Amino acid sequence: MKMRQLRGLCAFALLTLAALATARPKAGPEQKCKSGPVDLVFLIDSSRSVRPHEFETMRKFMIDILDTLDIGLNATRVGVVQYSSQVRTEFSLRAHAKLDSMVKGINEIIPLAQGTMTGLAIKYVMNEAFTAEAGDRPKVPNVVVIVTDGRPQDRVTEVAAEAREKGIEIYAVGVARADMTSLRAMASPPFEDHVFLVESFDLIHQFGLQFQDKLCGMDLCLESDHGCEHICESSPGSYHCLCLPGYTLNDDGKTCAVIDYCSFGNHSCNHECVSVLNGYHCTCNEGYRLLDDGKTCHAIDLCAEGKHDCEQICVSAPGVFTCDCNKGFTLNEDKKTCAPIDLCVEGKHDCEQICISGPGVFTCDCNKGFKLNKDKKTCTNMDLCNTVEHGCEHQCVSTPGSYYCICPEGQLLQEDGKSCGTCKSANIDLVLLIDGSKSVRPQNFELVKKFVNQVVDSLDVSAHGTRVGLVQYSSRVRTEFSLNMYHTADEIKAAVMKVDYMEKGTMTGLALKHMVENSFSEAEGARPASRNIPRIGLVFTDGRSQDDITEYAKKAKEAGITMYAVGVGKAVEDELREIASEPLEKHFYYTTDFTAISTIAENLKLNVCPAAEESQGEIEVKDPCACESLVEFQQATMSSLEQLTQKLSGMTARLEQLENQLLSRK
């Protein structure tokens, strides 16, 4: 409302100079302007360039304007501020409630007669004159009339703009030497209504007449061609246009346009918005229906509503559906019914021997005498001695999924695990790392201890011969006995049977670190490296390590330790291979069951055999016809025939396997 009244003071001012110059009689009490409440401040220039008689003309100018106004605390309030190099309030808006006291106050003004600090004066009026303490009223138009005769000595553009932004309407009246550019910088727009420049103070009354018309003018909506398309609303000395409900005022300030509520973006339709007069309504895209709230669109789910004829799966989209089939079935040409997929018949399987079909899936099986491997696809002959070239010099013994070689009594299996010989134990330093984790379980741990003692039985244990140390690990590492603690096999075996089961985790990497840094130290009985006593480490585990083994598996080998890895059950083959020394086939052992570890102990060749000493003197030549030589020849021949028979049996089994594969694929 305050801005509306402000615009009312400045909207209709296109009066001609002749009309401004027209004289009018002094208004009597019954002619007082009833313009409504206004807070009016005169800001008058009293610099030294304003001569005394000119200042008197300014007094009369202000009094003449006041004489036409309806003065009162509830009507028009008036304040006067003069300025030169300084600013001074002569009286505030709340100082006088009657015209007579205002006139007296104006007549008592003494000019300052200094410079022209107009910018300072405008800032003072904005911050001091139009305040509640000085009598300014809320929601009442603020009007200031600046009268100056010269160019400002400070900047006025910024401070005048700030005053206008605060809602103060500024009239700039210049006399004689006043600068038009400065007047326009101070005044409110439009400039033709708010900027006045006259040649002398004697002509200043012309502004007074026009200013009076602004406040007390006619009803321009009734008495002028206002041009409003819908509604004209009058205000003192001005008017503005309004629009009917459902319309908005265009930029020309007169014509109206229908409000497009959809374009404003303040609707709540989640699909389409359609504007209508005074509002909008919502519509939905195809396949959706409008809910009762009139705004939200919901997809029409034909599957949920049962409006489909799919045999198995209905896939819904807004207003439509498509059919699909369960896993293992394929959609028929009618796009509705389903048929099972037989992957075995279609050859879409990778079973080595037998394919068993189900809708869209298959499982593999093996022929009699074969076992399905962990990959659930390939098969293994349960009797590997008859199916592979095992290479055993004396005899091959089959185990589930594996085999091993044995030697005749009085001979030892060599390091290649196949040949036999009579090598005597050499001196070694052996440290066994045994897994005492929770997954081993107590009954199996007893089998592990028997495995250790079985290994000890194959060694030539003494203080100067083979030395044995034992380390158990789980989540931590514990030395059960060091290399220099016991010097006989019986002492070692007795100590092994007394070892308590640790349980908890599987920190194989930590155990390897302990072995490298502690177990093979001279402090724990390892003999100096300069003596070239072989150092052998044997790791026994049943599961995946819970820490990294790479670093210390490598450091053990770099330290010259020959590493053996024995795995059982859930032991990880990749970890065992990383621990074991090269060649892996001589240093890596694995079995699926704890009950088979005794077999590994029989095959395990930890001793390093010395090179055969060259025989001294003549070589003994045996008589080939002697009875002893004939017996040896007969035994060798029978052994060769037995190996040849085993190889032929293996080839026969392999041929049967290939024949079964061909039949299953037809």
Side-chain angles (χ1 to χ4, degrees):
M1 185 63 184
K2 186 172 183 178
M3 291 303 296
R4 182 180 298 170
Q5 290 171 316
L6 282 171
R7 293 190 187 97
L9 292 173
C10 61
F12 186 75
L14 299 176
L15 301 175
T16 63
L17 185 60
L20 285 170
T22 303
R24 63 179 68 189
K26 186 175 181 180
E30 69 283 354
Q31 297 174 307
K32 294 291 185 181
C33 175
K34 302 292 184 181
S35 61
V38 177
D39 289 340
L40 172 65
V41 173
F42 288 101
L43 181 59
I44 59 174
D45 180 359
S46 63
S47 60
R48 65 175 64 92
S49 62
V50 179
R51 298 175 180 84
H53 72 276
E54 293 175 335
F55 194 82
E56 292 305 319
T57 303
M58 260 198 298
R59 286 189 212 269
K60 184 177 184 303
F61 159 73
M62 289 187 288
I63 293 171
D64 286 346
I65 290 179
L66 295 182
D67 192 46
T68 65
L69 302 177
D70 183 17
I71 302 297
L73 293 178
N74 296 321
T76 298
R77 295 186 182 185
V78 179
V80 177
V81 176
Q82 70 160 318
Y83 74 94
S84 60
S85 297
Q86 56 183 313
V87 186
R88 185 170 71 198
T89 298
E90 296 303 331
F91 56 83
S92 67
L93 292 169
R94 70 163 66 248
H96 300 291
K98 294 183 180 181
L99 177 61
D100 293 343
S101 60
M102 283 187 186
V103 172
K104 181 180 179 183
I106 291 173
N107 287 327
E108 292 175 352
I109 296 174
I110 300 174
L112 295 170
Q114 296 174 0
T116 310
M117 303 295 286
T118 310
L120 177 66
I122 295 173
K123 186 172 183 179
Y124 179 88
V125 168
M126 177 174 59
N127 295 332
E128 301 294 336
F130 289 115
T131 63
E133 293 79 5
D136 181 53
R137 292 167 289 179
K139 298 183 180 180
V140 173
N142 293 157
V143 180
V144 61
V145 177
I146 303 173
V147 182
T148 180
D149 79 325
R151 184 189 299 274
Q153 295 175 340
D154 58 353
R155 296 179 63 85
V156 297
T157 303
E158 292 82 1
V159 69
E162 184 180 355
R164 293 193 299 269
E165 287 177 2
K166 288 188 175 183
I168 301 173
E169 186 172 8
I170 302 175
Y171 288 83
V173 182
V175 182
R177 299 168 296 278
D179 175 51
M180 175 58 78
T181 302
S182 299
L183 295 176
R184 293 170 67 90
M186 293 185 285
S188 298
F191 296 140
E192 59 266 23
D193 294 343
H194 295 83
V195 177
F196 300 90
L197 180 61
V198 295
E199 295 179 1
S200 66
F201 279 93
D202 294 335
L203 299 175
I204 199 172
H205 68 280
Q206 294 177 356
F207 169 74
L209 296 176
Q210 185 171 346
F211 185 71
Q212 179 182 345
D213 285 338
K214 293 292 184 185
L215 295 181
C216 307
M218 59 186 175
D219 186 340
L220 296 179
C221 287
L222 297 176
E223 302 183 29
S224 68
D225 183 11
H226 53 75
C228 296
E229 182 179 357
H230 283 188
I231 302 170
C232 177
E233 184 175 275
S234 290
S235 59
S238 183
Y239 68 92
H240 63 274
C241 299
L242 299 174
C243 294
L244 296 171
Y247 294 82
T248 182
L249 195 64
N250 293 326
D251 293 339
D252 61 9
K254 296 183 178 182
T255 59
C256 299
V258 175
I259 298 174
D260 187 349
Y261 291 93
C262 295
S263 298
F264 288 165
N266 57 354
H267 63 85
S268 52
C269 302
N270 69 341
H271 274 201
E272 299 292 333
C273 175
V274 179
S275 288
V276 296
L277 185 61
N278 293 327
Y280 66 91
H281 67 263
C282 302
T283 61
C284 297
N285 298 331
E286 185 178 357
Y288 293 80
R289 65 166 62 94
L290 194 65
L291 298 182
D292 293 339
D293 62 4
K295 299 175 181 179
T296 309
C297 294
H298 183 71
I300 300 172
D301 190 342
L302 296 178
C303 293
E305 296 177 6
K307 298 177 180 178
H308 68 90
D309 48 2
C310 299
E311 181 181 1
Q312 291 187 356
I313 300 173
C314 177
V315 181
S316 183
V320 295
F321 69 90
T322 56
C323 297
D324 200 356
C325 296
N326 297 326
K327 186 176 181 181
F329 292 81
T330 183
L331 195 65
N332 293 325
E333 291 182 0
D334 61 6
K335 302 299 181 182
K336 298 176 183 179
T337 59
C338 300
I341 300 171
D342 190 337
L343 297 178
C344 291
V345 171
E346 295 179 9
K348 297 178 180 178
H349 67 89
D350 47 4
C351 298
E352 182 179 2
Q353 293 187 358
I354 300 172
C355 177
I356 302 172
S357 184
V361 295
F362 67 89
T363 56
C364 298
D365 201 357
C366 297
N367 298 324
K368 186 176 180 180
F370 290 82
K371 172 187 172 184
L372 193 65
N373 294 326
K374 289 182 179 180
D375 62 7
K376 303 298 182 183
K377 299 174 182 178
T378 58
C379 300
T380 299
N381 193 323
M382 298 300 290
D383 188 359
L384 291 181
C385 288
N386 292 327
T387 58
V388 299
E389 294 185 6
H390 51 77
C392 295
E393 180 180 339
H394 177 66
Q395 184 178 347
C396 174
V397 179
S398 291
T399 61
S402 183
Y403 70 91
Y404 62 93
C405 301
I406 60 174
C407 294
E409 185 176 356
Q411 295 190 31
L412 298 175
L413 194 68
Q414 299 300 300
E415 290 186 3
D416 62 4
K418 298 179 180 181
S419 58
C420 300
T422 58
C423 175
K424 184 181 178 181
S425 297
N427 297 336
I428 62 172
D429 286 344
L430 169 65
V431 175
L432 297 103
L433 304 182
I434 60 172
D435 183 352
S437 62
K438 188 175 182 180
S439 60
V440 174
R441 304 197 178 180
Q443 64 272 25
N444 290 331
F445 190 71
E446 294 303 313
L447 295 176
V448 174
K449 291 196 287 187
K450 290 181 180 179
F451 166 82
V452 173
N453 284 344
Q454 196 174 354
V455 172
V456 172
D457 282 335
S458 69
L459 303 174
D460 183 14
V461 178
S462 68
H464 301 289
T466 292
R467 297 183 182 181
V468 178
L470 181 64
V471 175
Q472 183 184 178
Y473 70 95
S474 60
S475 297
R476 57 190 178 87
V477 182
R478 183 173 73 201
T479 298
E480 301 296 348
F481 52 85
S482 60
L483 288 167
N484 58 1
M485 184 170 290
Y486 302 112
H487 303 300
T488 68
D490 289 340
E491 289 176 337
I492 292 173
K493 289 164 65 177
V496 169
M497 296 312 295
K498 293 178 182 179
V499 170
D500 292 328
Y501 178 35
M502 293 175 70
E503 297 190 27
K504 297 190 178 178
T506 309
M507 303 295 282
T508 310
L510 184 64
L512 289 169
K513 180 176 185 294
H514 180 87
M515 180 194 72
V516 172
E517 296 179 352
N518 299 290
S519 301
F520 281 109
S521 65
E522 292 184 26
E524 293 202 3
R527 283 163 285 194
S530 59
R531 294 185 56 185
N532 293 321
I533 302 295
R535 294 182 176 182
I536 298 178
L538 188 151
V539 179
F540 183 99
T541 181
D542 85 318
R544 180 185 296 276
S545 176
Q546 294 174 342
D547 61 351
D548 181 63
I549 65 166
T550 302
E551 179 181 358
Y552 279 92
K554 181 180 179 182
K555 286 187 176 180
K557 297 166 190 173
E558 291 174 348
I561 302 170
T562 301
M563 294 300 301
Y564 286 77
V566 179
V568 63
K570 296 182 179 179
V572 179
E573 184 175 339
D574 289 343
E575 291 185 354
L576 297 173
R577 290 179 179 275
E578 191 168 4
I579 293 171
S581 296
E582 296 287 344
L584 292 178
E585 62 269 19
K586 293 183 179 181
H587 299 89
F588 162 71
Y589 298 86
Y590 173 79
T591 183
T592 58
D593 189 74
F594 276 86
T595 58
I597 61 176
S598 62
T599 303
I600 293 178
E602 292 175 4
N603 294 338
L604 198 61
K605 185 64 177 176
L606 297 178
N607 291 351
V608 179
C609 292
E613 295 181 0
E614 294 182 2
S615 58
Q616 304 294 325
E618 295 183 357
I619 299 174
E620 180 183 1
V621 179
K622 295 183 178 180
D623 182 1
C625 295
C627 181
E628 181 182 351
S629 298
L630 290 173
V631 171
E632 288 181 359
F633 174 76
Q634 183 181 12
Q635 289 177 343
T637 303
M638 292 299 294
S639 177
S640 298
L641 288 173
E642 184 179 352
Q643 291 180 21
L644 180 60
T645 301
Q646 290 176 349
K647 290 182 180 179
L648 289 173
S649 298
M651 293 175 64
T652 302
R654 181 59 180 164
L655 288 171
E656 290 178 357
Q657 178 183 350
L658 293 172
E659 183 179 359
N660 289 331
Q661 288 179 357
L662 291 172
L663 291 173
S664 66
R665 292 175 181 174
K666 289 184 178 180

